Amino acid sequence: MKKYIALTTLSLAAFAAASSAQAVELSVVGSWSGLPLHKQYEAPFWNETLPEISGGDMTATLTTHDQMGIGGGDVFRMLSQGVFDVGMTVGDYAVSDSAALEGLDVPLIATDAETAHKAVEAARPMVDDIFKTVFNAKVLGIAPYPPQIVFCNAEITSLDDLKGKKIRASGRMTAKLLEALGAEGVNISFGEVPGALQRGVVDCAVTGAGSGYNAGWWEVTTHLLTLPLGGWDPVVTAINLDKWNSLSAEEQKILETGVHDKLEAPAWETAQSALENDIACLTGNGECSYGDARNLILVEASEADTAKAKEVLLTQVLPEWSERAGGDWGKRWSDTVGKVTGVEIK
């Protein structure tokens, strides 16, 4: 009997060990914890949806880079080193490691969510190559923040009023565009912007309407220019390539399909309506469905403003990026993203 009990105990222990070995727990670092993309899509997916669609065989331990106290630009570097398994952050935060990655988020070429989605899909093969070679990572999905528009704590009535102002840019290409328009592009992290606006370190700042609303930028600004000078700030979800290769084919399919269907796709589906609602919440022009409406002065870009900014983009900013990125990145961009948006780098 004692021998039977001992064998049974050993068998149960072996079964438990085998079951534990089969289960996959991923360490995941998400984007900004206080913003809608994380709260509405990232957190529910990793905390609830992944265990559900995998039958409990795949789970995640989730935090965010701001909760960890690390900069957004460190996320994919640390991912490449295997510090955690999955990282999610704005692609523009990582352009110091790859100038070519700036091509993922080009200002002004997409003024609606449908076009922005097409542009991101067209850029996906380039992004896949960059993440594999630069960050030792596999891209699982790319989801949008809303268009990156301009918050100012000074009176503005048109694009020309940005000339001479110090403006926090949402990415390197946005900074280059602002400088070409006669403004001064300033590099300040998202979390530091309210204080910088309050102290006059910057006059204006670029971010998504919903991001600015949730972060309280309406407390330190007065005017909102809705020209998308900062693109759509796509957030890349990527997994360390060594971790990816350690997963079974079935686990890879569950993870990749799950991110696409349950995180990426829903974020794109609501991107356009989110923009309209966010502007209503910031300005009081329309119904704010998820909070108190604020009273920023809405400055809608004229056709002349849009034409001027796009001309600067096409004749100065994009050619300069193509040269800085080197290789055939400019041609690849024109043949893919440029083709679906009607833009060609000269």
Side-chain angles (χ1 to χ4, degrees), residues 270-333:
T270 59
Q272 189 66 39
S273 60
L275 168 63
E276 295 162 2
N277 184 71
D278 294 338
I279 291 175
C281 289
L282 285 164
T283 64
N285 294 354
E287 184 178 348
C288 178
S289 62
Y290 58 69
D292 295 330
R294 307 303 172 180
N295 59 354
L296 294 186
I297 296 171
L298 179 63
V299 182
E300 296 189 26
S302 66
E303 291 184 8
D305 285 339
T306 303
K308 178 180 178 179
K310 197 161 187 178
E311 176 68 14
V312 169
L313 174 75
L314 297 179
T315 60
Q316 298 181 48
V317 179
L318 274 174
E320 192 273 340
W321 165 72
S322 179
E323 183 176 346
R324 188 171 66 254
D328 65 346
W329 289 109
K331 184 178 187 308
R332 287 185 67 179
W333 189 93

Side-chain angles (χ1 to χ4, degrees), residues 94-157:
V95 296
S96 60
D97 293 301
S98 170
L101 190 56
E102 294 175 47
L104 173 61
D105 188 32
V106 176
L108 301 170
I109 63 170
T111 56
D112 60 80
E114 182 180 358
T115 306
H117 195 188
K118 289 178 181 177
V120 166
E121 287 297 301
R124 182 66 184 268
M126 293 189 294
V127 178
D128 288 343
D129 288 347
I130 292 166
F131 271 75
K132 182 177 181 180
T133 58
V134 178
F135 299 113
N136 184 41
K138 155 81 175 175
V139 175
L140 296 173
I142 305 175
Y145 277 134
Q148 305 295 289
I149 56 180
V150 189
F151 292 71
C152 286
N153 65 357
E155 183 176 354
I156 57 170
T157 58

Side-chain angles (χ1 to χ4, degrees), residues 209-234:
S211 302
Y213 178 85
N214 282 273
W217 286 22
W218 43 268
E219 295 182 295
V220 290
T221 55
T222 57
H223 290 66
L224 187 71
L225 175 64
T226 55
L227 190 65
L229 290 178
W232 288 70
D233 235 17

